[in-house]
Amino acid sequence: MRFLPGLALARRYDPTWLRHDLAAGVVLTALLVPQGMAYAELAGLPAVTGIYATMLPLLAYALFGPSRILVMAPDSAIAPVVAATVIPIAGADPGDRMAVAAFLAVAVGAICIIGGLARLGFVTDLLSKPVRIGYLAGIALVVIVDQLPKLLGLDVGADGLIAQVLELVGEVTALNPLTAAIGVGALVILAGLRRWLPKVPGALVVVVGGIALVAALGLEDDIATVGAVPPGLPAFSIPPIPVEGLQEIALGALAIALVAFTDTSVLSRSYGTRLGERVSQDQELFALGTVNVAAGLFQGFPLSSSSSRTPAAEEAGARTQLTGVAAAIVLGLILLFATGLLAPLPTAILAAIVIVAVAGLCDLPALRRLARLNVLDFSLGIAALLGVALIGVVPGIGIAVGLSAGALLWRTWHPYMAVLGRVQGLKGYHDHDRHPEGRQIPGLVLFRFDAPLFFANAEHFREGVLDAIAVADQPVRRVIVAAEPITDVDSTAEDMLAELLDHLDRHHIGLSLAELKGPVKDQVVRYGLEARLAQPPFPRTVGEAVHDYLEEFDVPWVDWEDEEEHDRPRDAR
């Protein structure tokens, strides 16, 4: 049952849930059709593939998905990556694009399935939140600029964000007034409904209104429309391996898998917490893989979880993944009997749906908060934004991952370290920079290093210890490292410690490691450093280490706690 949580849920299904799931499935379809078609257009594919990429994946996730109500569908953050990967390889032919997109979906699915089986659910940590905020904002900017020509009825052929903006400005007088009126009108309606009537399915409203308007006024020849949509269910087909572009597809598949699972993991954990369930992220990764394979084998393209359609399903009363099954059945009925109704749909309306959707990806309040609270995180977010906007969507994901890894390395390479002192009235020992009034024990340096010791920061640790000795008020006889934050010591750090001990021995300075965790202590012992440390080498607490030092060197020192004990009346002791 680990790999088939949907089947396990079916065995304990409560019949009272049925009417809620079926009703939610019908409501969900009203969002899945227009948004699926819009994101297919965004991916550079025929609009109908958005329905193909929705129907079968809903069934796959109902069987393999661990979340009770998560909705899998084409996504505004994924579609631009699909376009950036597929279009340069397949060119302008819609059939070739569909074939490459299907193969890309299977590749994404294979990556996710392997990751799920290998229990790699932790890979979402590769994208830090600030970098993810910047990356999504960059996606939003790129997509909005890309969709404006469709919204306004312009013909723009430039590549790259800046070139597109310049051409848009130069061609704005050549816009199609009718297309622009429909597109901008749809944009206003969508934004207004989202702002004042969020429970009304805005996408359905503008799609139905647009189809009715074009059909009633006979505007098919005056504006761009979806056109004839082939009836029938998507056929099972193993996508051919592209002759050229495999390297680009591999990079695109890795990028899509990372972004899709990051979004899915965040959404899955959020709803798991709300529903009081613990959702396995490894199973979630595996399910995401099966969903994408199903999309690829039935003429679809890569997809992810939906942060807009999942809450819509919840509000409609969804109890289980039977909601997705019901929605898939309704989608199948539309493909069999109602595709003719979609032909008059203006593509400007699909562009408006995309623009409103991706605008939600740009979290300006979060960026402002980062600017106020953490300059480094804000800089990482802006760098990710500019990388996506100026260099490209797929390379931008690589930049985002590199920035996240670089931020992690920087923080562990230059961790916080402090010299500790004794502060009047405060238990324990505290950072002297934050408490300059703290007293230093004569001849003793209390040093804290807030990170594991490894190759990247070993020299930083050594320099920190030597600097603390150099600025001490009196000649130093002992260094006590408050080592509780040190969770690892690698072989490079071991060499550094040996060299540091050699240096300290020449200056008759001892060093001990207080509060060192057991597994790390075992490492130090294996390295053969225990005998070279001051005795005892591993004091249980910093206070115990200080007491041993005071006794060994007979240092005159009166602690504030000793003073209070001395001043207290004898009968109160």
Side-chain angles (χ1 to χ4, degrees):
M1 291 298 99
R2 175 196 164 195
F3 295 105
L4 297 171
L7 185 59
L9 180 61
R11 290 181 174 180
R12 60 178 192 275
Y13 189 84
D14 186 339
T16 62
W17 296 342
L18 182 60
R19 62 185 181 89
H20 298 285
D21 283 336
L22 294 180
V26 175
V27 172
L28 181 61
T29 308
L31 292 176
L32 293 173
V33 172
Q35 289 190 343
M37 295 175 69
Y39 296 152
E41 291 267 342
L42 177 58
L45 302 168
V48 70
T49 58
I51 304 178
Y52 296 164
T54 304
M55 187 178 71
L56 270 300
L58 286 172
L59 298 176
Y61 192 81
L63 187 61
F64 295 101
S67 174
R68 281 173 54 186
I69 64 170
L70 203 68
V71 175
M72 291 286 178
D75 183 66
S76 56
I78 299 299
V81 191
V82 176
T85 305
V86 169
I87 293 175
I89 297 172
D93 183 79
D96 291 343
R97 288 188 180 185
M98 288 179 64
V100 175
F103 182 81
L104 179 63
V106 173
V108 171
I111 291 170
C112 293
I113 288 173
I114 293 171
L117 294 175
R119 299 183 180 273
L120 298 179
F122 61 86
V123 296
T124 55
D125 297 334
L126 289 175
L127 277 178
S128 66
K129 185 175 181 180
V131 169
R132 185 169 172 269
I133 290 171
Y135 160 75
L136 291 176
I139 285 282
L141 183 61
V142 169
V143 169
I144 289 172
V145 172
D146 183 66
Q147 292 297 303
L148 282 176
K150 295 179 183 178
L151 186 83
L152 302 174
L154 290 170
D155 184 14
V156 174
D159 291 325
L161 181 71
I162 296 176
Q164 284 181 308
V165 170
L166 293 176
E167 188 171 351
L168 270 172
V169 173
E171 296 289 331
V172 70
T173 55
L175 58 78
N176 182 319
L178 190 55
T179 299
I182 292 174
V184 174
L187 199 64
V188 171
I189 292 171
L190 287 167
L193 290 176
R194 173 172 287 196
R195 175 66 178 84
W196 289 292
L197 296 171
K199 292 188 177 181
V200 174
L204 180 63
V205 169
V206 296
V207 164
V208 172
I211 291 174
L213 180 66
V214 171
L217 300 180
L219 303 177
E220 291 89 342
D221 296 331
D222 300 312
I223 62 172
T225 61
V226 169
V229 177
L233 300 177
F236 174 83
S237 174
I238 299 176
I241 300 175
V243 178
E244 297 180 354
L246 281 178
Q247 182 177 353
E248 290 77 7
I249 289 176
L251 291 174
L254 284 170
I256 292 170
L258 177 59
V259 174
F261 183 54
T262 299
D263 287 346
T264 299
S265 177
V266 171
L267 195 60
S268 171
R269 284 181 289 189
S270 298
Y271 275 90
T273 300
R274 289 177 58 176
L275 298 174
E277 297 176 337
R278 185 177 179 182
V279 179
S280 166
Q281 295 308 297
D282 295 320
Q283 179 62 26
E284 199 69 83
L285 182 56
F286 179 84
L288 180 63
T290 64
V291 162
N292 275 280
V293 169
L297 294 179
F298 287 90
Q299 300 178 273
F301 57 91
L303 64 155
S304 176
S305 60
S306 173
S307 58
S308 61
R309 283 151 286 184
T310 299
E314 183 187 31
E315 287 182 9
R319 297 292 191 272
T320 69
Q321 285 298 332
L322 186 59
T323 294
V325 174
I329 292 172
V330 177
L331 289 175
L333 293 174
I334 291 172
L335 287 173
L336 287 172
F337 305 111
T339 55
L341 297 176
L342 301 174
L345 175 60
T347 56
I349 286 181
L350 295 180
I353 292 172
V354 168
I355 289 173
V356 171
V358 299
L361 298 179
C362 189
D363 194 345
L364 292 179
L367 282 173
R368 287 196 298 267
R369 184 172 181 271
L370 288 177
R372 188 175 70 252
L373 299 179
N374 193 308
V375 175
L376 175 59
D377 282 349
F378 175 73
S379 301
L380 291 172
I382 294 299
L385 188 160
L386 294 176
V388 172
L390 301 179
I391 299 176
V393 173
V394 176
I397 296 174
I399 291 171
V401 173
L403 288 172
S404 291
L408 172 64
L409 181 58
W410 176 260
R411 287 186 169 108
T412 53
W413 188 8
H414 293 84
Y416 190 79
M417 52 188 180
V419 173
L420 309 181
R422 191 72 161 137
V423 181
Q424 185 75 22
L426 290 180
K427 295 283 188 180
Y429 297 85
H430 303 275
D431 183 354
H432 185 67
D433 286 342
R434 300 180 69 88
H435 297 278
E437 74 278 11
R439 298 165 60 204
Q440 300 292 308
I441 300 172
L444 175 66
V445 168
L446 288 172
F447 182 78
R448 193 185 74 220
F449 191 78
D450 294 343
L453 262 177
F454 71 117
F455 64 91
N457 64 24
E459 184 61 21
H460 191 55
F461 174 90
R462 187 180 76 87
E463 291 296 327
V465 171
L466 295 180
D467 287 345
I469 293 172
V471 300
D473 294 337
Q474 299 184 25
V476 175
R477 291 185 282 186
R478 176 69 52 83
V479 175
I480 297 172
V481 178
E484 185 180 18
I486 298 177
T487 56
D488 187 33
V489 178
D490 74 358
S491 58
T492 303
E494 179 266 331
D495 289 339
M496 177 276 299
L497 286 174
E499 294 172 3
L500 178 61
L501 288 169
D502 288 340
H503 175 85
L504 296 179
D505 285 344
R506 289 193 294 271
H507 293 81
H508 308 292
I509 300 172
L511 182 144
S512 61
L513 303 173
E515 301 180 357
L516 195 65
K517 293 178 171 63
V520 189
K521 186 189 302 181
D522 294 341
Q523 288 179 294
V524 174
V525 171
R526 282 197 302 272
Y527 291 143
L529 296 176
E530 180 181 15
R532 302 190 57 190
L533 297 170
Q535 298 300 313
F538 307 117
R540 291 173 297 179
T541 67
V542 173
E544 182 180 289
V546 171
H547 181 269
D548 292 339
Y549 164 75
L550 295 174
E551 284 198 343
E552 180 180 348
F553 291 97
D554 194 22
V555 176
W557 171 261
V558 179
D559 192 84
W560 65 265
E561 288 188 293
D562 296 331
E563 291 175 345
E564 288 189 352
E565 179 69 20
H566 181 269
D567 294 340
R568 191 182 307 168
R570 180 177 298 275
D571 58 357
R573 296 179 188 178

